[in-house]
């Protein structure tokens, strides 16, 4: 009998562990005692960091969701009655509320919003019933504030606060006359006879449910994801809208690591996360399960079939049909930044593994304003807080396009690091916020001495795109300017924080490279060819003895500060002075400090660039009066904000930006640069480099010899 038991135990031990994902796990190793200890330390750190909400707040969220559920159910019954359905139909009429995102995955923190989906019957539509009728009901609800419908979004949404809790509400109309209370939207039948917008609306919930089904241990997944999201925010790489990764992207990456190490605990999974993704061969996709076609015929991610899918740099594929790339916003520049940060995380985790560092070292904030010598500053201004919220949302959603345009127009030689944090100048009387982008030349690129980048046209194109905002109101303004590190405004730094002066005795390898971009005298295009001296009208040096030509204003064009009905791009003459109006000239050849300081959004930190004799060109007029007069009346419609701007001012951008562009002085990891170059080379021929198995399933992007 004992022998039989031993044989049975041996047979059980020999049984292969269930495989999660499309490949076998890398390691089935169980945690050691030290791993359990480090996990306890990590969880303690996350609690002390305030990442978990209190039981009271959790209960409050449940109450809010209950009230919202009642509102949408009453809304559907009201519409059913108005449309003449029978009393029985009115009685059975129903809408079901689902959650998705961080709340559904169980990794939300205090103050986080709740992503919700309302599923209604076939006769209740999105365009009128949801965005008009339900919108009006919510607008009349006292507990609802900051109601913002976004019907034209890729996934149409209504954003609002309900009892102070942020809600993002989507709507999906399914092909059912009565929606059952126990509707299972993970079933493919829910997609029958619906349009692609509805599919996208349903996809968030379907993806969240699939993720939880496909990970070996949900609690370990949740702790690891909570940790990695916190890390990404600290390191400035958490933002889908600016080209980094958002919540679902991080969830999918963490879930894949959980599949590769099914028995690992969170401390092990965090370390393995960085180990895996510093070696991942992008653009091979990350997938939790095989991509499957379906008779419903919706397009799925397939670079063999769809040309657009071939251009994706960091594909992270959703696990629910129809499978899509959730990270299409990633660009070569943002991928480079994330690879650098993965290298940083991997290095710290190696030190944690050998007890040379503790968990707090992993979450050290990225010193963005010390990492580069040159930045683009994007200032956003509006008449009041409500207008700023709407205007900022539009501009922020287009910042990624500015990054892509700069990459395109400089042939990838000028790289951008958009920082997904907004800053506000508390000294301003108007509604204001600012975003920043770090600028650096491509690491290792051979650039001729003195070569500069002219991105005026790029910024003008960006300005034009911003001006297409359909809900523009007078007072909504934008300024883009080039600032050096020493000119960064003080309000971006934490209170009491003093920027350290870099030692002059330290020779950075990048700084000593003769190919670095410096303040040269030759102006060259990205392909290295000399540019004509007067390529752009209205731009001259501000050296003594030379005339300064400034942007002109057409008498027929209304300045932005007047109550007009046009967006910024229609109000302002081009920086080149091409409007046809009389040019604005100065009294003498010297560029007066006052004029530079009265240029749009010139900060106190711009004094260095003014007094050192640098240029202040292409500045666009701020007031209806002559630009040489003092701007006494510039704040009449802006709550006395006398330093506001018209559309886009290009203080330093307009002088054949950007000189002195050297690479990041921190995180100069050669390995990440090599990986990025490899990824960029692969990008143009992704179809040939993505590995598909015999059944069409894309294989792993890991190298054959991955360190366990």
């Amino acid at each position: 009998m004992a022998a039989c038991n031993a044989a049975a135990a041996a047979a059980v031990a020999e049984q292969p562990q269930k495989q999660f994902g499309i490949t076998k796990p890398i390691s089935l190793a169980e945690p050691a005692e030290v791993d359990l200890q480090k996990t306890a330390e990590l969880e303690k750190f996350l609690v002390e960091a305030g990442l978990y909400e209190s039981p009271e707040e959790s209960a409050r969220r449940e109450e809010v969701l209950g009230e919202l559920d009642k509102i949408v159910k009453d809304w559907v019954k009201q519409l059913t009655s108005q449309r003449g359905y029978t009393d029985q139909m009115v009685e059975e009429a129903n809408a079901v509320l689902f959650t998705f995102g961080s709340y559904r995955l169980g990794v939300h923190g205090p103050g986080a919003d709740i992503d919700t989906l309302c599923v209604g019957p076939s006769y209740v539509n999105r365009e009128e019933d949801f965005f008009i009728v339900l919108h009006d009901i919510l607008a009349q609800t006292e507990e609802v504030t900051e109601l913002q419908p976004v019907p034209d979004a890729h996934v149409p949404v209504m954003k609002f606060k309900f009892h102070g809790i942020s809600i993002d509400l989507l709507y999906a109309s399914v092909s059912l006359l009565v929606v059952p209370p126990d509707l299972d939207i993970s079933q493919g039948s829910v997609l029958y006879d619906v349009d692609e917008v509805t599919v996208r609306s349903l996809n968030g919930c379907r993806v969240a449910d699939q993720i939880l089904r496909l990970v070996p241990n949900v609690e370990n997944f949740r702790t690891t994801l909570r940790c990695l999201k916190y890390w990404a925010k600290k390191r400035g790489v958490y933002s889908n809208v600016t080209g980094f990764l958002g919540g679902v992207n991080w969830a999918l990456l963490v879930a894949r690591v959980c599949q590769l190490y099914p028995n690992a605990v969170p401390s092990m999974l965090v370390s393995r996360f960085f180990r895996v993704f510093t070696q991942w061969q992008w653009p091979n996709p990350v997938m939790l399960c095989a991509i499957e076609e379906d008779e419903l015929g919706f397009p799925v991610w397939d670079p063999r079939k769809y040309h657009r899918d071939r251009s994706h740099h960091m594909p992270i594929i959703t696990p629910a049909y129809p499978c899509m790339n959730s990270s299409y916003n990633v660009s070569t520049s943002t991928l480079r930044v994330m690879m650098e940060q993965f290298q940083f995380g991997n290095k710290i985790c190696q030190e944690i593994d050998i007890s040379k560092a503790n968990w707090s070292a992993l979450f050290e904030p990225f010193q963005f304003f010390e990492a580069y010598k040159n930045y683009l500053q994007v200032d956003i201004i509006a008449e009041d807080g409500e207008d700023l919220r709407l205007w900022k949302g539009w501009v922020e959603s287009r910042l990624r396009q500015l990054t892509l345009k700069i990459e395109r127009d400089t042939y990838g030689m000028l790289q951008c690091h958009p920082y997904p944090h907004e800053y506000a100048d508390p000294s301003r009387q108007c509604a204001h916020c600012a975003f920043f982008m770090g600028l650096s030349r491509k690491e290792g690129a051979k650039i001729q001495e003195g070569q500069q980048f002219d991105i005026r046209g790029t910024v003008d194109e960006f300005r034009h795109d911003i001006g297409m905002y359909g809900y523009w109101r007078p007072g909504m303004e934008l300024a883009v300017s080039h600032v050096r590190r020493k000119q960064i405004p003080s309000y971006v730094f934490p209170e009491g924080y003093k920027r350290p002066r870099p030692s002059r005795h330290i020779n950075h390898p990048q700084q000593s490279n003769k190919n670095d971009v410096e303040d040269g005298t030759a102006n060259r295009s990205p392909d290295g060819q000399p540019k004509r001296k007067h390529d752009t009208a209205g731009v001259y040096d501000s050296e003594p003895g030379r005339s300064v030509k400034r942007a002109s204003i057409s008498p027929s064009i209304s300045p932005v500060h007047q109550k007009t009905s046009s967006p910024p791009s229609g109000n302002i003459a081009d920086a080149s002075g091409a409007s046809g109006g009389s040019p604005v000239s100065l009294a003498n050849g010297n560029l007066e400090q006052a004029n530079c300081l009265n240029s749009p959004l010139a900060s106190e930190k711009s004094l260095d660039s003014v007094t050192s004799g640098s240029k202040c060109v292409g500045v666009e007029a701020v007031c209806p009066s002559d630009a040489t007069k003092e701007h006494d009346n510039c704040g009449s419609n802006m709550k006395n904000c006398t330093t506001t701007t018209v559309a886009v001012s290009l203080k330093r951008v307009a002088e054949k930006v950007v000189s002195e562009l050297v690479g990041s002085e921190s995180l100069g990891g050669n390995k990440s640069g090599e990986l990025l170059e490899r990824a960029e080379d692969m990008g143009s021929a992704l179809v040939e480099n993505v590995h598909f198995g015999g059944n069409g399933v894309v294989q792993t992007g890991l190298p054959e010899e991955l360190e366990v």
Side-chain angles (χ1 to χ4, degrees):
M1 184 60 118
C4 290
N5 289 339
V12 171
E14 289 177 3
Q15 287 180 357
Q17 181 166 335
K18 178 184 176 182
Q19 177 177 312
F20 292 88
I22 60 174
T23 62
K24 293 181 179 179
I26 293 174
S27 172
L28 296 174
E30 299 282 346
E33 185 62 34
V34 66
D35 297 315
L36 298 175
Q37 180 182 346
K38 290 186 182 298
T39 294
E41 294 171 356
L42 175 60
E43 291 173 343
K44 181 174 182 290
F45 178 88
L46 298 178
V47 170
E48 292 176 349
L51 300 187
Y52 295 85
E53 68 180 3
S54 66
E56 293 77 18
E57 187 173 358
S58 296
R60 188 61 178 148
R61 287 178 185 272
E62 292 294 332
E63 292 174 7
V64 165
L65 287 173
E67 291 186 39
L68 183 59
D69 184 64
K70 184 177 184 306
I71 288 175
V72 297
K73 281 178 166 55
D74 291 344
W75 161 64
V76 169
K77 287 183 182 295
Q78 173 187 320
L79 291 172
T80 306
S81 176
Q82 290 175 352
R83 286 170 190 176
Y85 287 96
T86 64
D87 292 343
Q88 183 179 353
M89 276 287 291
V90 173
E91 181 65 27
E92 294 176 350
N94 187 39
V96 181
L97 210 59
F98 295 90
T99 61
F100 60 101
S102 62
Y103 187 80
R104 174 70 183 93
L105 293 173
V107 295
H108 62 285
D113 60 2
I114 306 178
D115 296 311
T116 55
L117 167 70
C118 175
V119 176
S122 57
Y123 55 86
V124 176
N125 65 53
R126 178 186 302 105
E127 293 74 16
E128 296 180 2
D129 298 330
F130 181 72
F131 278 112
I132 297 178
V133 180
L134 181 60
H135 172 274
D136 291 346
I137 292 172
L138 292 173
Q140 296 167 13
T141 303
E142 184 179 352
E143 296 80 9
V144 172
T145 58
E146 299 182 19
L147 181 60
Q148 179 186 358
V150 192
D152 299 325
H154 187 64
V155 181
V157 59
M158 264 202 296
K159 297 173 175 284
F160 55 92
K161 286 188 175 181
F162 194 18
H163 291 286
I165 295 176
S166 296
I167 304 286
D168 285 358
L169 180 62
L170 314 183
Y171 179 71
S173 173
V174 295
S175 55
L176 296 170
L177 281 176
V178 177
V179 179
D182 58 349
L183 177 69
D184 183 2
I185 60 172
S186 66
Q187 298 298 315
S189 58
V190 78
L191 302 178
Y192 177 74
D193 198 25
V194 299
D195 59 21
E196 289 196 22
V197 176
T198 300
V199 171
R200 290 196 293 268
S201 299
L202 290 163
N203 202 39
C205 295
R206 289 165 54 81
V207 166
D209 289 346
Q210 274 291 85
I211 290 174
L212 294 176
R213 290 190 185 101
L214 292 171
V215 294
N217 184 302
V218 171
E219 287 308 314
N220 287 344
F221 162 75
R222 284 173 171 161
T223 301
T224 307
L225 177 55
R226 196 182 292 271
C227 170
L228 267 300
K229 287 179 63 176
Y230 183 55
W231 173 85
K233 291 173 182 178
K234 285 290 187 179
R235 303 302 296 177
V237 289
Y238 188 96
S239 173
N240 183 279
V241 71
T242 52
F244 294 107
L245 301 182
V248 68
N249 310 127
W250 290 105
L252 292 168
L253 292 184
V254 170
R256 185 67 184 119
V257 174
C258 290
Q259 291 180 336
L260 294 172
Y261 299 90
N263 299 323
V265 292
S267 64
M268 300 167 66
L269 290 170
V270 170
S271 177
R272 272 58 171 182
F273 177 93
F274 293 114
R275 190 178 300 175
V276 165
F277 290 114
T278 53
Q279 300 179 67
W280 194 269
Q281 297 175 1
W282 303 108
N284 282 297
V286 171
M287 298 173 13
L288 301 185
C289 59
I291 296 176
E292 297 181 359
E293 298 282 354
D294 191 279
E295 66 275 4
L296 293 175
F298 291 107
V300 298
W301 186 84
D302 188 347
R304 300 167 302 175
K305 184 183 297 185
Y306 303 109
H307 187 272
R308 182 180 61 180
D309 294 344
R310 304 177 191 179
S311 63
H312 295 164
H313 299 287
M314 193 183 189
I316 302 172
I317 310 304
T318 56
Y321 175 82
C323 299
M324 309 172 187
N325 176 23
S326 64
S327 53
Y328 58 86
N329 278 352
V330 173
S331 68
T332 55
S333 285
T334 52
L335 176 57
R336 169 187 62 87
V337 172
M338 285 187 283
M339 293 299 291
E340 290 176 347
Q341 294 302 326
F342 289 161
Q343 292 285 349
F344 166 83
N346 191 43
K347 177 178 178 294
I348 297 298
C349 282
Q350 289 174 355
E351 295 177 354
I352 292 173
D353 287 343
I354 59 176
S355 300
K356 280 193 173 181
N358 53 31
W359 287 111
S360 61
L362 183 63
F363 303 97
E364 282 293 325
F366 177 56
Q367 300 300 331
F368 175 72
F369 293 107
E370 295 174 18
Y372 300 94
K373 284 190 173 182
N374 294 270
Y375 298 84
L376 283 184
Q377 178 175 338
V378 180
D379 288 281
I380 304 167
I381 288 177
E383 291 247 4
D384 53 42
E386 177 63 18
D387 280 3
L388 180 66
R389 184 173 62 84
L390 300 173
W391 182 228
K392 180 193 70 175
W394 170 255
V395 175
E396 187 179 10
S397 71
R398 295 300 181 271
L399 286 178
R400 185 180 70 91
Q401 294 301 321
L402 179 57
T403 300
L404 295 175
K405 292 176 192 299
I406 291 174
E407 289 177 355
R408 177 200 67 193
D409 293 349
T410 62
Y411 305 98
M413 303 299 286
L414 180 60
Q415 296 178 325
C416 297
H417 178 175
Y419 200 51
H421 292 275
E422 63 179 270
Y423 299 89
D425 185 353
S427 66
R428 293 188 182 276
Q429 298 299 313
C430 55
H432 160 266
C433 70
F435 290 92
F436 292 83
M437 290 185 179
L439 299 172
S440 65
R441 66 171 178 82
K442 182 179 179 181
E443 186 177 351
K446 294 184 181 297
I447 299 178
Q448 298 186 22
E449 186 173 354
Q451 179 176 344
Q452 297 176 331
F453 298 95
D454 184 352
I455 57 173
R456 286 169 294 180
T458 308
V459 175
D460 282 343
E461 183 182 344
F462 172 68
R463 175 187 68 179
H464 180 268
D465 292 346
I466 294 297
M468 302 301 290
Y469 184 47
Y471 302 97
W472 183 86
R473 300 174 186 173
M476 291 181 172
E477 299 169 357
L478 180 74
V480 179
S481 55
H482 166 226
V483 294
R484 299 180 188 275
R485 181 168 55 197
K486 64 181 180 181
Q487 299 164 346
I488 294 295
S490 58
Y491 61 78
V492 307
F493 297 99
E495 186 177 354
Y497 175 76
K498 295 183 179 179
R499 290 167 288 183
R501 290 179 177 271
S503 172
R504 296 187 179 184
H505 301 289
I506 298 176
N507 291 322
H508 295 282
Q510 293 170 331
Q511 292 174 344
S512 61
N513 190 332
K514 291 184 179 181
N515 292 323
D516 285 352
V517 183
E518 298 176 354
D519 278 337
T521 57
N523 292 323
R524 295 181 178 271
S525 62
D527 58 3
Q529 297 301 316
K531 296 179 72 69
R532 293 191 301 274
K533 185 174 183 180
H534 299 299
D535 268 351
T536 304
V539 178
Y540 292 86
D541 285 33
S542 59
E543 298 171 3
R546 300 184 66 176
S547 62
V548 178
K549 185 176 179 181
R550 303 185 65 181
S552 58
I553 313 169
S554 169
S556 62
I557 298 178
S558 303
V560 134
H561 287 290
Q562 293 181 352
K563 293 291 183 181
T564 63
S565 58
S566 304
S569 61
N571 293 332
I572 306 305
D574 290 339
S576 62
S579 65
S582 302
V584 178
S585 59
L586 300 182
N588 54 59
N590 295 324
L591 187 61
E592 297 178 345
Q593 286 189 19
N595 287 325
C596 268
L597 293 180
N598 280 328
S599 66
L601 294 172
S603 69
E604 55 181 319
K605 294 298 178 182
S606 300
L607 281 169
D608 291 338
S609 64
V610 176
T611 57
S612 62
S614 64
K615 305 166 191 174
C616 184
V617 296
V619 175
E620 317 216 28
V622 184
C623 300
S625 57
D626 189 285
T628 59
K629 298 179 181 179
E630 294 185 5
H631 301 164
D632 292 334
N633 300 320
C634 269
S636 58
N637 295 321
M638 292 293 291
K639 298 182 180 179
N640 300 320
C641 180
T642 58
T643 56
T644 54
T645 160
V646 261
V648 179
S649 74
L650 312 176
K651 179 168 64 69
R652 292 284 294 176
V653 175
E655 57 162 314
K656 293 190 183 300
V657 222
V658 170
S659 59
E660 232 180 29
L661 293 176
V662 297
S664 171
E665 296 174 0
S666 63
L667 300 176
N670 293 329
K671 187 171 182 181
S672 63
E674 294 169 4
L675 288 171
L676 256 295
E677 290 203 6
R678 181 168 67 226
E680 290 170 9
D681 293 339
M682 294 170 71
S684 60
L686 187 148
V687 146
E688 290 79 6
N689 288 280
V690 171
H691 306 298
F692 288 84
N695 61 352
V697 175
V698 187
Q699 301 303 303
T700 178
L702 287 170
E704 293 182 6
E705 305 262 339
L706 176 67
E707 180 185 356
V708 176

